[in-house]
Amino acid sequence: MLQFDLLATEGHARRGRLTLNHGVVQTPIFMPVGTYGTVKGVTPRSLQEMNAQIILGNTFHLWMRPGLDVIAQFGGLHRFEQWKRPILTDSGGFQVWSLGEMRKISEEGVRFASPVNGDKLFLTPEVSMQIQTLLNSDIVMQFDECTPYETKGHVTTEAEARASMELSLRWARRCQAEFARLANPNALFGIVQGGMFEPLREASLAALVEMGFPGYAVGGVSVGEPKEEMLRIMAHTPHRLPAHKPRYLMGVGTPEDLVDGVAQGVDMFDCVMPTRNARNGHLFTRFGDLKIRNARHRSDERPLDETCTCYACKGQTAADGSVSGGFSRAYLHHLERCGEMLAPMLATIHNLHYYLQLMQEVRDALDAGRFAAFAQQFRADRQRGV
């Protein structure tokens, strides 16, 4: 089940509406990452309050823990983690790739030792589809090989990238066949690979489009390549994907990357950056990034961002009109220095709210036909400094 309606365009930028089995997603959208069935540091209620429309789950990690028997008992990931809105699950390919020498890739799939208990495991396109069917995620990603930018200092050659890309295409066909055999009622996305080589990207894209997936992702970026290389592929590939289907740029990135990605025709983004950085005291704001551990915030009474309406910055109004929250930089600095768990919780709420609000402003600008002007103001604001 997937329906994509294109509502407006401005250059390559697109405004759309994505209808899935568990709800409607307005695009362009940022998707918070929930690796183990939870977005770290926030409750499902907080995610709903900040209007997270769709979140991610991680096929590999959920297979390891709690295991498929437990999730099957709950009828899928939605009931297990008490999230009623859409979920996208990755295929496990990136996690297997990140195991490095602990895994062995063949035509059939990937053999590896479980990082949890050392069990010998075999992940194939078919197994990935079986796991994701059990998870009942609204969007299922094909099992692919994530082409590295370099391995032990050796930059991937065009021949190596081609072999990797062609393996992913063969796996895509197997994923499609298994997805159909399982009668999965959700949507399967293909993933464009090809490393840093535009001709390989075009070959991958053409083959996947011929297979007729309901949606497409651009993978194999943000895997250690220089930023300018990532931006080059981001400028090349997304707008070449079918206009009537959703486009997903995997694992990207900074606020600037999101706005640039929208300008290149991307509809969907995910990245661990807002949650991971929050746990390290790194905050994103309209006027640039802020490192709350720095001594200059020790007695600063201002909120993280005076224009932000998240709980950390503005607090919450109760039924009797009283306001709670609206924490100062000084207080958050204090929590960080003391190692209090409230520090990363508030920072995560703020960062995710900022990312989701940024995408809301992008959608509003596209609705009004003023995305180019918005992007220019966005960059000027971010460069102003906090």
Side-chain angles (χ1 to χ4, degrees):
M1 165 61 186
L2 181 149
Q3 178 180 330
F4 182 68
D5 299 300
L6 194 57
L7 305 178
T9 61
E10 185 178 330
H12 291 317
R14 296 138 55 87
R15 171 77 172 89
R17 180 176 59 237
L18 182 60
T19 304
L20 301 164
N21 275 331
H22 286 88
V24 176
V25 177
Q26 302 294 332
T27 66
I29 188 64
F30 176 80
M31 303 178 288
V33 178
T35 302
Y36 287 99
T38 175
V39 178
K40 286 182 173 65
V42 291
T43 64
R45 178 177 174 177
S46 291
L47 287 170
Q48 290 172 19
E49 288 172 349
M50 65 179 74
N51 198 28
Q53 301 176 57
I54 175 172
I55 62 174
L56 264 66
N58 188 284
T59 295
F60 177 88
H61 289 297
L62 292 166
W63 182 29
M64 299 295 105
R65 290 180 294 191
L68 303 184
D69 56 335
V70 174
I71 296 177
Q73 179 184 330
F74 283 82
L77 196 52
H78 287 86
R79 179 169 168 251
F80 183 59
E81 64 179 271
Q82 288 300 305
W83 178 257
K84 302 192 186 320
R85 297 177 182 179
I87 295 174
L88 180 151
T89 49
D90 60 8
S91 68
F94 179 82
Q95 283 68 38
V96 168
W97 168 78
S98 67
L99 291 174
E101 294 179 351
M102 293 171 60
R103 48 96 172 118
K104 180 174 177 56
I105 300 172
S106 67
E107 184 68 35
E108 290 71 32
V110 184
R111 297 186 185 277
F112 62 97
S114 165
V116 174
N117 58 16
D119 286 353
K120 301 297 183 185
L121 297 172
F122 190 33
L123 186 57
T124 67
E126 291 77 15
V127 170
S128 178
M129 294 303 98
Q130 291 158 17
I131 298 169
Q132 292 184 81
T133 297
L134 188 147
L135 295 175
N136 194 29
S137 48
D138 297 75
I139 297 177
V140 170
M141 301 307 298
Q142 76 150 100
F143 187 63
D144 64 332
E145 184 188 11
C146 184
T147 307
Y149 174 71
E150 65 175 11
T151 306
K152 293 184 176 179
H154 166 72
V155 176
T156 299
T157 66
E158 185 167 4
E160 290 165 339
R162 178 181 294 279
S164 175
M165 178 271 287
E166 290 175 347
L167 176 63
S168 288
L169 287 177
R170 294 192 294 275
W171 285 358
R173 294 185 183 93
R174 288 168 58 187
C175 286
Q176 213 171 34
E178 183 67 4
F179 188 87
R181 187 190 73 79
L182 294 166
N184 189 318
N186 297 297
L188 175 64
F189 278 29
I191 303 177
V192 176
Q193 290 288 355
M196 299 296 114
F197 303 96
E198 286 95 336
L200 297 184
R201 290 281 174 178
E202 291 175 24
S204 175
L205 188 156
L208 290 168
V209 169
E210 190 175 343
M211 293 182 218
F213 286 92
Y216 298 91
V218 178
V221 293
S222 204
V223 291
E225 75 277 9
K227 186 65 172 281
E228 58 270 19
E229 294 285 276
M230 186 271 282
L231 292 174
R232 179 168 57 82
I233 297 302
M234 188 168 74
H236 169 271
T237 307
H239 69 268
R240 288 178 160 82
L241 288 162
H244 61 293
K245 295 185 178 181
R247 304 161 173 171
Y248 166 28
L249 183 63
M250 304 181 75
V252 175
T254 67
E256 287 76 10
D257 292 338
L258 268 59
V259 173
D260 288 345
V262 169
Q264 300 298 345
V266 178
D267 304 306
M268 305 163 66
F269 302 86
D270 82 284
C271 191
V272 298
M273 191 170 283
T275 48
R276 179 180 290 168
N277 283 24
R279 296 193 299 275
N280 293 304
H282 185 138
L283 287 303
F284 296 98
T285 81
R286 183 180 301 273
F287 303 110
D289 297 354
L290 183 155
K291 295 182 178 178
I292 199 63
R293 294 175 183 172
N294 288 356
R296 69 188 183 97
H297 301 300
R298 182 175 177 271
S299 59
D300 194 332
E301 296 185 16
R302 292 176 296 167
L304 296 170
D305 185 338
E306 291 171 347
T307 70
C308 181
T309 59
C310 80
Y311 174 67
C313 290
K314 286 293 184 193
Q316 185 169 292
T317 303
D320 63 1
S322 62
V323 177
S324 61
F327 303 101
S328 67
R329 297 182 188 184
Y331 181 63
L332 289 164
H333 172 81
H334 158 73
L335 294 177
E336 277 282 350
R337 296 300 291 263
C338 294
E340 283 289 343
M341 65 194 312
L342 183 58
M345 291 170 64
L346 290 174
T348 302
I349 288 171
H350 170 79
N351 275 357
L352 285 175
H353 182 279
Y354 170 75
Y355 267 60
L356 292 165
Q357 180 61 30
L358 172 61
M359 300 312 285
Q360 179 65 61
E361 292 175 9
V362 165
R363 294 193 295 272
D364 291 345
L366 285 165
D367 285 337
R370 54 176 185 83
F371 174 72
F374 167 83
Q376 184 177 11
Q377 184 63 52
F378 159 80
R379 293 185 185 95
D381 286 344
R382 284 279 293 166
Q383 290 167 9
R384 193 196 82 174
V386 293

